[in-house]
Amino acid sequence: MIPPLAAQAWEFRARVERDAAVRFARLAEEIAAFDAGSPVPALMRKAAEDERRHELLCAELAGTSTSAAGETRLAPRSFGPRAAALYDTVAACCIAETESVATVTSLLAEDVGPRVREVLHEIARDEVVHAQMGWAHLAREAAAIDVTFLSAFIPAMLAGTAGDLFTAAGPEEDLRRFGVLPASRRREIFVQTLREVVFPGLEQCGLSARPACEWLEASLTSRTAAGSTG
């Protein structure tokens, strides 16, 4: 039987996948409305189908049922449609999906159970494409409009993806066989992915990674300080 903490982790992932399915379906229509020639909407629609399948797989591992989706827009309410679609795509794909690929790939190197490995393989295969479609949209937008405004908002996207990764404390139960990495290992992967993939990718598309780098260093410093006094 799967331990309670592992079940909670997979249940949380099921909710994330469910919300992503709704988000990608919405973004497909929004992007098509202002960029009819883009290949991204078709990829988004396929990604929405992938995420619905992932939700079922994650719910299976968690031993729970699926529920109604409750996705919300990630971008600030003040953004116009095109800027909001870009914000949501970068946050959901360039950051969250890119990080997810790194985490799932790391898990596949662990001694996970057979069914967990099957699920991880399927998720990894799809989410590589989900990350790529985000970078493709950012590159396409960078060639068409000024995207530099987004640099200042990357820290908020990172904070949303990280959640309590830099603030959570307490003992770490070894649940790797059940597809759940310790928080310390997840932090390592998150930081490495930002520095080696996300930040260079942003710079390549004309965005300054400086605000994001400053956010990361501040988060790491805060984590270190908390550890030294806790």
Side-chain angles (χ1 to χ4, degrees):
M1 182 177 179
I2 187 170
L5 287 178
Q8 291 173 19
W10 281 107
E11 184 177 7
F12 173 76
R13 175 126 201 175
R15 292 197 300 271
V16 171
E17 304 285 1
R18 176 196 65 206
D19 293 349
V22 179
R23 179 170 294 116
F24 289 153
R26 169 175 59 78
L27 286 170
E29 301 311 311
E30 291 177 353
I31 294 171
F34 61 77
D35 189 0
S38 174
V40 173
L43 295 173
M44 289 279 189
R45 294 186 188 100
K46 174 61 169 59
E49 296 176 0
D50 294 339
E51 300 291 28
R52 284 189 283 269
R53 178 165 33 82
H54 295 174
E55 179 195 0
L56 295 174
L57 293 171
C58 295
E60 173 200 327
L61 292 179
T64 61
S65 58
T66 59
S67 57
E71 181 263 346
T72 57
R73 180 173 289 287
L74 303 174
R77 293 183 179 181
S78 60
F79 277 29
R82 188 164 190 167
L86 179 60
Y87 184 110
D88 282 14
T89 300
V90 171
C93 299
C94 300
I95 295 175
E97 294 283 342
T98 298
E99 182 276 332
S100 179
V101 170
T103 297
V104 172
T105 300
S106 180
L107 275 166
L108 284 169
E110 301 287 346
D111 182 24
V112 298
R115 180 54 180 158
V116 172
R117 183 170 297 279
E118 290 175 0
V119 171
L120 290 172
H121 267 301
E122 189 163 340
I123 290 175
R125 178 198 65 204
D126 295 333
E127 293 195 342
V128 166
V129 179
H130 300 175
Q132 290 172 341
M133 72 184 181
W135 290 109
H137 181 63
L138 175 56
R140 190 175 177 88
E141 287 292 84
I145 63 174
D146 182 3
V147 300
T148 57
F149 73 93
L150 208 58
S151 298
F153 295 93
I154 301 298
M157 300 180 193
L158 297 178
T161 300
D164 65 355
L165 201 55
F166 292 97
T167 58
E172 297 184 329
E173 184 175 348
D174 189 349
L175 299 170
R176 283 171 289 189
R177 176 166 176 75
F178 304 98
V180 180
L181 290 170
S184 58
R185 178 59 181 143
R186 290 191 292 117
R187 276 192 298 274
E188 291 174 2
I189 294 169
F190 185 73
V191 171
Q192 182 178 9
T193 302
L194 292 185
R195 288 174 172 167
E196 296 182 2
V197 182
V198 175
F199 293 168
L202 295 174
E203 293 277 2
Q204 187 173 350
C205 289
L207 296 175
S208 171
R210 182 173 180 177
C213 291
E214 292 175 347
W215 174 88
L216 178 59
E217 294 310 314
S219 297
L220 290 170
T221 300
S222 177
R223 175 75 191 176
T224 301
S228 65
T229 59

